[in-house]
Amino acid sequence: MARIFQESRVVAWGECDPAGIIFYPTYYHWMDAAAGSLLARCGWPAQRMRDEHLAMPLVDSQCAFVSSPTFGDTCEVRVSVARLGRSSFGLQYEFFLQGQDKLLARGSESRVWCRYQAGPGSPLRSLPMPAELRAALGEAPPA
């Protein structure tokens, strides 16, 4: 079973559309933020990523909307590792109304572990994910 990481988000006024329900890009913002939080919990916070010129660019993203939370609702973001390749990895997301089993949305992302060739702003080159990161994500390194 995949290891699940969780965090909570409160739907802010600026994250709602005129109808007072969550504006769909908010889920994409929350997925991106959860990916960063996940890496930080695994030992790769933003400062380390910058210091080591590392990045995890997004190469694919999807989201299916099921139900809409409204302004002030607290939502639970659940993220799990769907796939670990040599340098690419897939994340799966589920969004629930906190304290309920009400599914709000499902999403996914594909990302690539990279290093800037000559510092931030220069071209990226993929590289194998570190064994320590793989272990922190709950998977053994490939044989």
Side-chain angles (χ1 to χ4, degrees):
M1 182 171 179
R3 190 168 161 198
I4 297 173
F5 299 84
Q6 298 181 153
E7 63 182 33
S8 296
R9 305 291 295 225
V10 176
V11 180
W13 178 255
E15 296 170 325
C16 294
D17 66 14
I21 61 174
I22 196 166
F23 186 44
Y24 75 92
T26 301
Y27 287 117
Y28 288 96
H29 173 76
W30 288 359
M31 287 191 291
D32 189 62
S37 294
L38 173 61
L39 281 186
R41 284 186 271 189
C42 290
W44 274 264
Q47 189 61 53
R48 179 178 180 182
M49 297 288 285
R50 283 190 297 274
D51 290 347
E52 296 180 18
H53 298 171
L54 296 168
M56 53 167 192
L58 183 68
V59 295
D60 186 51
S61 183
Q62 299 177 23
C63 193
F65 313 105
V66 178
S67 184
S68 298
T70 59
F71 168 64
D73 284 344
T74 301
C75 301
E76 186 177 290
V77 181
R78 299 177 188 172
V79 58
S80 60
V81 177
R83 180 185 54 76
L84 281 176
R86 182 189 77 85
S87 61
S88 65
F89 58 103
L91 300 175
Q92 288 187 310
Y93 299 87
E94 289 185 316
F95 303 87
F96 289 89
L97 205 52
Q98 192 168 46
Q100 299 181 27
D101 224 10
K102 183 178 182 179
L103 179 68
L104 302 171
R106 281 192 181 93
S108 64
E109 292 181 326
S110 292
R111 293 180 174 268
V112 179
W113 190 253
C114 294
R115 183 183 311 276
Y116 290 101
Q117 291 182 24
S122 65
L124 290 165
R125 171 171 238 118
S126 69
L127 62 150
M129 292 177 63
E132 303 93 322
L133 179 56
R134 289 177 169 283
L137 291 171
E139 295 244 355

